[in-house]
Amino acid sequence: MRSPTVLGNMNHTTHNTIVNFIWNIADDVLRDVYVRGKYRDVILPMTVLRRLDCLLEPTKEKVLEHYKLLEKDNFGQNAVAQQLPRTSGYVFYNTSQFTFKTLLNFPSQIRANFENYLDGFSENAQEIIDKFKLRNQIETLTESNRLYALIDKFVSNHINLSSEPVKNAEGEITLQGLTNLEMGYVFEELIRKFNEENNEEAGEHFKQSKIFDNEDFGYHKITVDRPLRLTFQVTSERVAQFLGASLTNSSTNKSSRGQQEIPLHLTSDTKHGVILGILKDLFSSDPHKDFNRVKQEFEKVLKAEEIKLTAKDLKLVYDTFTEKDETAEPVINKKTKDAVVYEPDSELRDTENVPLKEDIEEYFAREVLPHVPEFGVQLNPPVPIFVRLATDNISPHFLNNADRCLA
């Protein structure tokens, strides 16, 4: 058993409950069919499959819909392998209509449907299945009428192999979810118990490092931003909206506009009039698709005429007289010596799951750039399936430019 230090925050009761439950499945289902030394040939791969099944369940319908579209349009397997991980949320996926739970809906067809389920996994998951040689066990399990019972045990509501907690009707957590690290500990403990049962040294039969290449099943979750684009226009409707808004009282000296003197302590009505006068003189009622130029010219006049507006007032002006427009120029947040940083449009924010073994720059060039010519990215911590991963290896060039949008 792992020490408390190694297990970290994992609940030992939860850990032991899951390990013991899975351990007892062997005695409940496999007794008189397999000798005890062969229990692990079934239990270990089924544990892994159930974990993958739980992880894929939330996106199952979306994956099937995406797969049908790709098939309908005659996309090849390369396109399927590239696109479906983005839909599943992981670097693996399953295109079978079945899950562990739905397999139980067809008892008389359990073998055919289970084989269909195994065949639906992506190539990287197939490698795991093949290493366990699970398909070699299907005939024995079917002939002994144990395959259905085995699957039924693994979907029991007494354990949760998902990463998400199970909640009751009142929203209370009844079973905690397992983190990737915790799932790794459960699996290692099962291996240890099977080895101990067979008087083998740890890892003599299975070594987790040989079963799983962590980077095959981990990914970078990257936030992708697109720039905000605004069109500025002074319309009668927006003028009415602006006149109904409240401006902060602030002081100024005088204005050369129309040779009129502006009081040091302007009322809101006077400020509204002065601002509208500037806007109409500069921009008339025409639409302006370069908000950066509008902002620059407006604030230049304010400075020249010593009219001081608070940040809140400026925001009110810009919010009132602009609207999103995908044909407009992107809004600039700042310029540096090496790059232009644009304001992100939160409504267009998306995420990409990039396999750890894939070069991030190559992935974005292939999967993102053709659809989004300009984008900015935010790198999030890598997400493994079972165990903690080492520090990422990403080129300094990409990291240095990861917070900017590429025009």
Side-chain angles (χ1 to χ4, degrees):
M1 181 68 68
R2 290 272 178 170
S3 68
T5 301
V6 176
L7 280 174
N9 295 326
M10 185 176 186
N11 185 305
H12 281 71
T13 301
T14 300
H15 175 267
N16 292 335
T17 298
I18 294 173
V19 170
N20 291 334
F21 186 92
I22 295 175
W23 179 258
N24 288 331
I25 290 176
D27 275 334
D28 293 343
V29 179
L30 304 182
R31 180 180 292 180
D32 300 328
V33 178
Y34 289 84
V35 297
R36 294 186 67 85
K38 295 295 183 180
Y39 285 178
R40 61 189 171 192
D41 294 351
V42 175
I43 296 301
L44 292 179
M46 289 296 290
T47 301
V48 173
L49 280 182
R50 178 53 178 155
R51 171 65 170 183
L52 301 185
D53 186 67
C54 290
L55 295 176
L56 293 176
E57 191 171 9
T59 58
K60 182 70 174 181
E61 292 304 318
K62 290 183 179 180
V63 168
L64 293 181
E65 290 174 6
H66 194 172
Y67 182 59
K68 288 179 182 178
L69 288 175
L70 293 173
E71 279 197 318
K72 180 181 178 182
D73 294 336
N74 295 317
F75 282 89
Q77 286 304 307
N78 286 339
V80 171
Q82 289 176 2
Q83 295 188 38
L84 289 191
R86 300 171 62 183
T87 307
S88 73
Y90 295 96
V91 295
F92 56 91
Y93 54 88
N94 188 305
T95 58
S96 166
Q97 63 177 305
F98 299 107
T99 64
F100 262 45
K101 290 180 180 178
T102 60
L103 283 168
L104 299 177
N105 295 336
F106 307 94
S108 63
Q109 303 170 41
I110 191 66
R111 175 174 182 169
N113 292 345
F114 184 63
E115 289 176 335
N116 176 273
Y117 173 76
L118 294 181
D119 293 342
F121 274 104
S122 52
E123 186 175 346
N124 48 7
Q126 292 290 348
E127 292 178 7
I128 303 301
I129 297 171
D130 291 343
K131 286 179 181 178
F132 277 115
K133 299 180 180 179
L134 178 60
R135 288 183 174 88
N136 294 349
Q137 311 302 328
I138 294 178
E139 185 171 355
T140 300
L141 290 169
T142 304
E143 289 181 351
S144 61
N145 199 29
R146 302 298 172 91
L147 180 58
Y148 185 95
L150 181 66
I151 296 172
D152 186 48
K153 285 287 186 180
F154 272 97
V155 300
S156 168
N157 57 13
H158 291 97
I159 61 168
N160 178 26
L161 297 187
S162 169
S163 59
E164 299 297 322
V166 174
K167 298 180 181 179
N168 60 21
E170 288 72 37
E172 300 169 334
I173 295 177
T174 56
L175 293 173
Q176 292 288 348
L178 284 180
T179 68
N180 301 316
L181 189 61
E182 291 166 353
M183 185 64 209
Y185 293 153
V186 167
F187 192 74
E188 284 184 355
E189 180 63 11
L190 287 171
I191 293 175
R192 187 196 67 78
K193 288 173 71 71
F194 280 122
N195 288 338
E196 187 178 79
E197 179 83 7
N198 294 318
N199 296 316
E200 294 177 355
E201 294 297 324
E204 186 175 328
H205 188 76
F206 283 117
K207 288 185 179 179
Q208 187 176 8
S209 60
K210 290 185 178 181
I211 297 171
F212 302 105
D213 183 346
N214 296 324
E215 291 191 352
D216 282 336
F217 289 86
Y219 61 89
H220 300 283
K221 189 171 185 179
I222 300 179
T223 301
V224 181
D225 279 323
R226 297 177 63 181
L228 177 67
R229 297 173 182 269
L230 298 175
T231 289
F232 183 96
Q233 187 175 16
V234 180
T235 65
S236 57
E237 293 82 2
R238 291 173 182 172
V239 168
Q241 179 184 345
F242 180 68
L243 291 174
S246 174
L247 289 170
T248 307
N249 285 330
S250 60
S251 62
T252 184
N253 291 329
K254 64 179 181 179
S255 171
S256 58
R257 187 169 301 282
Q259 302 299 319
Q260 69 179 55
E261 295 288 329
I262 299 179
L264 286 175
H265 299 287
L266 296 173
T267 65
S268 291
D269 289 343
T270 305
K271 287 174 64 179
H272 280 104
V274 171
I275 292 171
L276 286 175
I278 296 173
L279 295 178
K280 289 180 179 179
D281 284 353
L282 287 174
F283 310 115
S284 67
S285 60
D286 299 329
H288 296 266
K289 292 182 178 289
D290 189 345
F291 175 76
N292 307 297
R293 182 177 177 184
V294 168
K295 184 174 183 290
Q296 183 181 38
E297 293 184 4
F298 178 57
E299 294 182 9
K300 181 179 179 181
V301 171
L302 292 179
K303 182 177 180 180
E305 303 207 9
E306 300 181 10
I307 299 175
K308 297 179 181 178
L309 298 183
T310 65
K312 180 180 179 181
D313 289 346
L314 284 171
K315 184 177 185 303
L316 174 63
V317 173
Y318 297 144
D319 287 350
T320 303
F321 293 100
T322 59
E323 64 180 352
K324 290 185 179 182
D325 180 355
E326 62 181 14
T327 67
E329 294 296 315
V331 177
I332 297 173
N333 175 279
K334 63 180 179 180
K335 293 183 178 180
T336 68
K337 182 175 64 175
D338 301 318
V340 176
V341 181
Y342 296 117
E343 287 285 352
D345 188 336
S346 59
E347 293 182 0
L348 300 179
R349 182 165 293 151
D350 200 358
T351 58
E352 291 286 334
N353 295 322
V354 182
L356 288 176
K357 282 192 171 180
E358 185 158 354
D359 182 89
I360 296 178
E361 296 171 74
E362 292 179 1
Y363 178 92
F364 270 78
R366 183 184 71 245
E367 299 291 340
V368 179
L369 197 56
H371 311 289
V372 186
E374 66 291 308
F375 64 90
V377 302
Q378 174 185 338
L379 298 178
N380 301 309
V383 181
I385 299 305
F386 287 108
V387 297
R388 196 190 314 276
L389 296 171
T391 305
D392 306 319
N393 293 315
I394 306 171
S395 75
H397 169 77
F398 192 79
L399 287 176
N400 291 339
N401 294 279
D403 63 345
R404 72 182 178 94
C405 297
L406 306 178

